[in-house]
Amino acid sequence: MAELLRNFIGGEWVEPSTGEYGESINPARISDVVARFPLSAREDVDRAVAAAKKAYDPWRLTPAPRRGEILFKAAEALRGRKDELGRLVTREMGKVLPEGKGDVQEAIDFAYYMAGEGRRLVSEVVPAELPNKDARSIRVPHGVFALITPWNFPVAIPVWKVFTALICGNTAVLKPSSDSPLCAVRLVEILEEAGLPAGVLNLVMGEGRAVGEPLALHPDVAGISFTGSSPVGEALERKAAELHRPIAVEMGGKNAILIMPDADLDLAVEGVLWGGFGTSGQRCTASSRVIVHQDVHDRFLEMLLAAIAPLRLGDGLEEETKIGPVINEPAVKKVLEYIRIGEEEGAKLHTGGMQVTEGELEHGYFIAPTLFSEVEPQMRIAREEIFGPVVSLLRCSSFEEGVQIVNDSHYGLSSAIYTRDVNLSARAERELDTGLVYINASTIGAEIQLPFGGYRHSGSGHPECGGRMGAIDFYTRIKTVYRDFSGRLQRAQVDV
Ligand code: UN1
């Protein structure tokens, strides 16, 4: 039975002003309508932003450790409900169950991490140059945040954004993807039950144009955090610039794994399968390019094909399934179109290359894991984000050439190298020009306690997640405070 969802505004679950609803569909079984969600409009956005604005002062004045206690309770609830939520992730967006649970685990890890941040939010105290004076920088919140999240990590990414915004003392309006609204509703319910005051977090569901854009550009919004496609993210960045409004965008990737002749090839095969076909290739960190040194190219190709053959497509809730569906019909079309382009460009298709509709698979959006070889760096399939289970093999004849191919990309999120040469690993770490670099591991699987973000068109340079340079910097503003307790005029730089 499809659950009927409501928006959450000022602590109340309310119907959308439009009275209209859309459907969230299980991509493995399209007759399974997971939820009916509000197709909201500007009016709902206005109410949600007003509620968040009203809640801002009391929330910013609540001591951060107290804010952290509420977030800690929510972390506990997420942990207690991991299995249930993991299954929901799989049902609503299709990734296989171990990954559905992994999505929730990432949310749990981050929720605890940010709850603890309530007792840190570290800033600086430095000596003043004049006597009887102190000099500090402190962190202050911005106000109301617009948080726009994707479907591919439907619990983890909302948690990244919501928990960071809130621990810093901001209030927020969350606009989740229309492909995963129920996951967002569960998260908001958990925060409500944890005791979050009314209005601190509001939820408005609906389409990007009707809800996401008016929300991001609302006059009372102080900052925007967006994860999703590059065209939408970049359009928002331009509009935010006109409004002089801080914006963090996390967008596409064309991530590459570089395989050197001395690599442990079995390990590299596992890394390519995990990074290329995990989540059906629908991660912004997915390994869509694999650049193999010519000395091991043919052997690697053979090993990889043998490893792809047994991968079973199916409903992610079934234990034997290794690869789930892609998210929806437009995704099927887009991925198939890229496969067609790849063939037209002259790449060699070894396996996959089609939608699979046999038996039960007829009822979902399944694309066979697809492998191209003889892909050239200039081909579109080597340059554009496909966001599906398609891996392109390219050749290189040296480390330098391999690195050059990895870096020659519009995007710059994640890269990896497989080598057993410790010196080469150090050079790779220095030369790979991406926000995330993995040595002897795939391009996916970032941990939450360090910054997560990409270079070039992958992101705006404001990373998500933890670490000293992580998302806290974006969700707070710095205020520099000088306090002179000398009781007389002291002139900096003059009275030295
Ligand atoms: C994303 O694909 O949008 O590093 C996020 C990873 C995950 C997060 C991916 N922890 O693959």
Side-chain angles (χ1 to χ4, degrees), residues 132-156:
N132 297 320
K133 183 179 177 189
D134 51 36
R136 294 173 297 138
S137 70
I138 58 171
R139 292 183 183 278
V140 293
H142 292 255
V144 178
F145 261 91
L147 307 177
I148 302 175
T149 56
W151 49 266
N152 70 334
F153 278 79
V155 181

Side-chain angles (χ1 to χ4, degrees), residues 54-97:
K54 186 165 163 229
Y56 175 59
D57 265 340
W59 183 245
R60 105 184 137 81
L61 297 172
T62 302
R66 297 280 94 77
R67 300 198 290 256
E69 283 162 17
I70 296 173
L71 299 189
F72 185 86
K73 270 197 202 149
E76 294 277 87
L78 282 167
R79 189 166 64 125
R81 293 172 60 179
K82 177 176 168 182
D83 279 6
E84 168 214 331
L85 293 170
R87 296 183 78 80
L88 172 61
V89 168
T90 297
R91 181 170 166 230
E92 194 166 41
M93 63 65 69
K95 63 173 83 170
V96 295
L97 188 54

Side-chain angles (χ1 to χ4, degrees), residues 108-444:
I108 296 166
D109 297 340
F110 194 71
Y112 281 122
Y113 181 87
M114 272 301 150
E117 197 61 45
R119 288 191 183 268
R120 280 187 298 270
L121 287 176
V122 174
S123 54
E124 327 174 73
V125 179
V126 295
E129 67 186 35
L130 291 162
N132 297 320
K133 183 179 177 189
D134 51 36
R136 294 173 297 138
S137 70
I138 58 171
R139 292 183 183 278
V140 293
H142 292 255
V144 178
F145 261 91
L147 307 177
I148 302 175
T149 56
W151 49 266
N152 70 334
F153 278 79
V155 181
I157 294 182
V159 165
W160 290 359
K161 295 189 195 300
V162 167
F163 280 58
T164 316
L166 266 42
I167 197 66
C168 293
N170 305 286
T171 58
V173 180
L174 172 64
K175 203 302 267 181
S177 164
S178 296
D179 284 305
S180 58
L182 184 52
C183 288
V185 165
R186 289 289 174 269
L187 171 64
V188 173
E189 286 168 354
I190 281 173
L191 280 155
E192 182 191 14
E193 283 161 25
L196 197 69
V200 170
L201 176 63
N202 306 276
L203 173 70
V204 182
M205 287 165 273
E207 297 302 334
R209 232 169 258 286
V211 176
E213 191 171 317
L215 170 61
L217 307 180
H218 193 287
D220 289 332
V221 159
I224 309 163
S225 179
F226 168 88
T227 299
S229 76
S230 295
V232 175
E234 291 185 16
L236 275 183
E237 275 185 305
R238 284 188 287 272
K239 290 180 178 148
E242 276 171 24
L243 296 172
H244 193 64
R245 177 169 300 174
I247 179 166
V249 292
E250 202 60 64
M251 305 179 291
K254 194 68 195 174
N255 315 290
I257 296 181
L258 182 54
I259 297 173
M260 300 310 294
D262 69 330
D264 176 338
L265 292 186
D266 291 308
L267 189 66
V269 165
E270 285 184 289
V272 171
L273 290 187
W274 175 226
F277 302 122
T279 331
S280 304
Q282 302 171 109
R283 294 196 191 204
C284 52
T285 49
S287 319
S288 59
R289 296 184 293 158
V290 179
I291 300 151
V292 191
H293 192 281
Q294 62 190 18
D295 293 355
V296 288
H297 178 278
D298 294 354
R299 188 146 63 92
F300 184 79
L301 171 60
E302 203 176 298
M303 290 168 72
L304 185 57
L305 275 171
I308 292 172
L311 292 179
R312 208 187 126 114
L313 273 174
D315 183 338
L317 288 172
E318 285 161 17
E319 213 172 309
E320 320 79 66
T321 298
K322 289 286 178 280
I323 303 187
V326 296
I327 189 69
N328 52 28
E329 181 94 50
V332 171
K333 289 217 174 83
K334 178 180 171 198
V335 175
L336 292 178
E337 173 63 5
Y338 271 110
I339 291 168
R340 193 193 60 73
I341 291 169
E343 289 190 276
E344 199 176 273
E345 287 177 312
K348 187 164 170 197
L349 177 65
H350 289 270
T351 185
M354 62 195 174
Q355 182 172 10
V356 183
T357 53
E358 282 151 28
E360 286 292 294
L361 302 187
E362 179 196 351
H363 308 296
Y365 303 121
F366 293 97
I367 293 186
T370 298
L371 181 67
F372 280 109
S373 74
E374 310 308 331
V375 177
E376 297 294 332
Q378 294 316 315
M379 290 181 182
R380 285 182 63 192
I381 56 165
R383 306 197 75 78
E384 298 173 20
E385 186 177 50
I386 300 174
F387 225 63
V390 181
V391 170
S392 291
L393 244 55
L394 294 87
R395 286 173 198 264
C396 68
S397 53
S398 64
F399 168 76
E400 289 75 12
E401 190 197 1
V403 167
Q404 195 265 324
I405 296 171
V406 175
N407 291 346
D408 175 23
S409 173
H410 182 71
Y411 297 110
L413 181 54
S414 184
S415 62
I417 183 168
Y418 282 84
T419 176
R420 283 185 274 211
D421 178 340
V422 66
N423 293 352
L424 199 62
S425 78
R427 286 173 61 203
E429 172 187 321
R430 190 178 61 199
E431 303 303 333
L432 290 171
D433 200 24
T434 52
L436 302 161
V437 171
Y438 291 88
I439 316 284
N440 291 325
S442 193
T443 56
I444 68 173

Side-chain angles (χ1 to χ4, degrees), residues 106 109-110 160 436 438 444-452 465-466:
E106 185 158 351
D109 297 340
F110 194 71
W160 290 359
L436 302 161
Y438 291 88
I444 68 173
E447 301 183 20
I448 56 84
Q449 66 275 27
L450 280 173
F452 176 95
C465 291

